[in-house]
Structure formats: structure tokens, C-alpha cells
């Protein structure tokens, strides 16, 4: 029996009873639990096989005051919240004491965002607690952007996937932290660096996604297909280098042809980065399901959302 359902009140019941379920957001599907229920939070880490040192993002309802979660909101954080919430922006702020250590991996900061998805906002309105929701996939694998992706990963390990259709943005949120009240981008994501700078001016970039000060580079591989995957600036040359293999090709807008290419996905024929971003993970899921010998992905133009897409592709193809 499928665990995919559109029943929001059942989702609310399960979460209130301390269960974990998958929920739709505009970025990717999340594996959600009550932040105040330690068992539920442990279950999230266990189901994902996510290391406990990797903190979770807290998702709050539109009408919930940020100060119920964060103890201090710098001026630029408020400006960012006003500009981009609800939306794919996560702010890392000094946490309120009530936020459990297991959610923040023992840090005195909490990552928080207001998701822009009607179904999940409706769900959050029915709950009297925020939810923690990392991506609903086994740690390190491609994030899910459709209910079916989650079902494929977890089957009956979770009780429900709340179906909200395909995720509109399609990659994870942009994460911004504060040091001495000055904003720093910790992870590129579904809001471009350019859009952030338009709202609050110049911002530093310190790519510390996964926070591994003790193990630098350890998690450079993330969001990865199980099929060997490489990035390329010259797709045709690389196809020829590997001819004879069964190859999958993923490009932004160009079309390439060769008999070794078994499946070719063009992310946006009209050349729109936003559209390409929304299709990216679904395309990787499709290619990864075909048991190919090799996936070759194009390197995107390194501006606007192309930068965020390149960040994900770099991690998807990292090999040490
Ligand atoms: P995700 O895996 O998409 O749910 O995003 C979680 C990421 O948010 C982590 O891997 C960290 O990079 C970041 N994060 C969460 N909480 C914090 C925090 N308190 N301080 C810094 N980064 C955080
Ligand atoms: Mg994730």
C-alpha cells in the first residue's frame, strides 16, 4: 500500500502523536518531526542515517514570531526575512533556550525558515509546535522533489508522505548566518547570491554546508547519484572518450547526439536557470534509475542560480 496521501489532518495527527512523516516544501521534500519531541527527532536522524553533528532546519508557520525560536534577530536578518519569507531562505540565529540541543547539534544557534508551500503552511497552522525537516532522503543521496522519490527511498519506514506535488524551486534553501551581526552565506541555494545582494548589499560567502570543521572535505560528496557521475564543459568530447559505455547526459539547454547516449535530458530548452533548477534533481533521479555506466552533466553558467546549481553538481560528482 502506498504511503503517499493528501490528508493534511492525518499528517497533523501523526506529527502531534510524535511520528515522523515526509512533507512537501518549495525546495525539496522534508522528513518532518515535532522539534520538542526528542524521540521524533532521533527517528529523523536514524531514518536518514544522518550524523548527529549535522543540525536540522526548523520550519515555522507564517504567523509564528521569529523570536519564539531565535533570541536575537540582527537588523539584516529581519530585512532578509521581510524580503524572502515565506521562501527558500534559511537564517542561522542565536537560539532560544527552548530549542533542544539535538535539533541544533549542540550549537547555540538555530537554523530557521518559513516554507512557501500552501499544504505545509496549512499543516503548520494546525500544529502548536514548529517542525524540524531535513531533506527526506538517505544521507548523501539525491534530494527528493516528488512524493514518489520519497516513497522509493523509505517505503514503509515512515507512515506517510504528504503529497504536495512537485517542488517548485527544486533545490535546497540558501542558508545565511551572522557573525557579529554581519550576514554570511553558508550555503548557496534556491535564492541566488545576486538576489540576496540586491536586498541587503554585499555579502560574504563561506561555504560551510554540513559544518565539518573537524573533518574538512568529508561531506564534499552529497546530493549524489549512485551511478558514476562526472561534470563536463565539453560534453561531446567526454562522450567520445567513454564511447561504448551506456551514457546518460544532462545539459542546461544544448542538445547532443551520439549512439552511446542512452538517455539525454535537457533541463530548460529555453535557457531559464529557474526552470533548470526545478527539474535538476528529478532528472538525476531518472538517470540514476536506468543502471547506466556513466552520467555526464554539463557545467552551468557561473552566475545567478547557475552558481547554486553548480554547487550541487559539484557535490553530486565529487570523488576523492
Ligand atoms: P538540510 O540538510 O538541507 O536540512 O540543511 C541543514 C544544513 O543547515 C546543515 O547541513 C548546516 O549546513 C545548516 N545548519 C543547520 N543548523 C545550523 C546551525 N545552527 N549553524 C550553522 N549551520 C546550520
Ligand atoms: Mg539534505
Amino acid at each position: 500500500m502506498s504511503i503517499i496521501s493528501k490528508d493534511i489532518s492525518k499528517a497533523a495527527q501523526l506529527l502531534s502523536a510524535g511520528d515522523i512523516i515526509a512533507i512537501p516544501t518549495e525546495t525539496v521534500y522534508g522528513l518532518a518531526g515535532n522539534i520538542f519531541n526528542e524521540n521524533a527527532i532521533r527517528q529523523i536522524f536514524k531514518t536518514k542515517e544522518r550524523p548527529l553533528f549535522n543540525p536540522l532546519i526548523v520550519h515555522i508557520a507564517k504567523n509564528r514570531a521569529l523570536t519564539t525560536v531565535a533570541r536575537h534577530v540582527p537588523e539584516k536578518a529581519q530585512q532578509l526575512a521581510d524580503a524572502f519569507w515565506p521562501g527558500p531562505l534559511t537564517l542561522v540565529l542565536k537560539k532560544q533556550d527552548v530549542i533542544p540541543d539535538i535539533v541544533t547539534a549542540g550549537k547555540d544557534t538555530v537554523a530557521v525558515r518559513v516554507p512557501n508551500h500552501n499544504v505545509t503552511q496549512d499543516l503548520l497552522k494546525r500544529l502548536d509546535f514548529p517542525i524540524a525537516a531535513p531533506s527526506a532522503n538517505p544521507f548523501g543521496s539525491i534530494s527528493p522533489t516528488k512524493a514518489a522519490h520519497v516513497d522509493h527511498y523509505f517505503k514503509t519506514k515512515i507512515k506517510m508522505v504528504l503529497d504536495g506535488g512537485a517542488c517548485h524551486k527544486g533545490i535546497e534553501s540558501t542558508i545565511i548566518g551572522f557573525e557579529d551581526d554581519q550576514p554570511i552565506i553558508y550555503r548557496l541555494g534556491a535564492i541566488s547570491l545576486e538576489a540576496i545582494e540586491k536586498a541587503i548589499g554585499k555579502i560574504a560567502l563561506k561555504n560551510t554546508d554540513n559544518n565539518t570543521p573537524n573533518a574538512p572535505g568529508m561531506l564534499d560528496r552529497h546530493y549524489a547519484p549512485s551511478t558514476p557521475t562526472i561534470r563536463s564543459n565539453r560534453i561531446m568530447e567526454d562522450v567520445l572518450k567513454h564511447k561504448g559505455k551506456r551514457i546518460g547526459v544532462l545539459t542546461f539547454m544544448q542538445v547532443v547526439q551520439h549512439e552511446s547516449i542512452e538517455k539525454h535530458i535537457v533541463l530548460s530548452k529555453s535557457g531559464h536557470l529557474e526552470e533548470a533548477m526545478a527539474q535538476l534533481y528529478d532528472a538525476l533521479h531518472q538517470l540514476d534509475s536506468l543502471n547506466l555506466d556513466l552520467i555526464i552533466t554539463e557545467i552551468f553558467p557561473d552566475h545567478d542560480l547557475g552558481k547554486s546549481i553548480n554547487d550541487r553538481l559539484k557535490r553530486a560528482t565529487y570523488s576523492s
Side-chain angles (χ1 to χ4, degrees), residues 27-28 48 50 53-59 90-93 95 103-112 133-135 137 139 143 172-173 175 177 186-187 208-211 219 222-223 312:
T27 59
V28 303
K48 277 182 63 70
R50 178 174 172 119
F53 64 73
N54 199 340
L56 307 179
I57 296 175
V58 171
H59 292 64
T90 296
L91 297 174
V92 177
L93 302 169
K95 81 176 186 77
V103 171
T104 65
K107 291 174 185 291
D108 72 345
T109 50
V110 61
V112 58
S135 52
N137 55 324
F139 189 66
S143 298
E172 294 76 2
S173 58
I175 302 180
Y186 285 163
R187 176 176 77 185
T208 59
D209 185 19
N210 300 316
N211 295 291
L219 297 173
H222 211 79
Y223 315 110
R312 297 304 187 272

Side-chain angles (χ1 to χ4, degrees), residues 20-56:
I20 63 170
I21 61 164
I23 55 153
T25 80
E26 78 279 33
T27 59
V28 303
Y29 273 75
L31 190 57
N34 174 355
I35 63 163
F36 299 122
N37 185 316
E38 186 173 333
N39 271 336
I41 302 302
R42 284 198 183 282
Q43 202 56 35
I44 291 175
F45 280 100
K46 198 170 147 213
T47 306
K48 277 182 63 70
E49 296 173 52
R50 178 174 172 119
L52 282 164
F53 64 73
N54 199 340
L56 307 179

Side-chain angles (χ1 to χ4, degrees), residues 21 35 46-47 50 56 71 84 88 102 108 110 131 141 180 195 198 200 274 315:
I21 61 164
I35 63 163
K46 198 170 147 213
T47 306
R50 178 174 172 119
L56 307 179
R71 154 158 70 83
F84 295 108
I102 184 161
D108 72 345
V110 61
I131 53 183
S141 61
D180 297 328
K198 215 167 151 193
I200 56 158
E274 180 102 21
R315 292 171 206 261

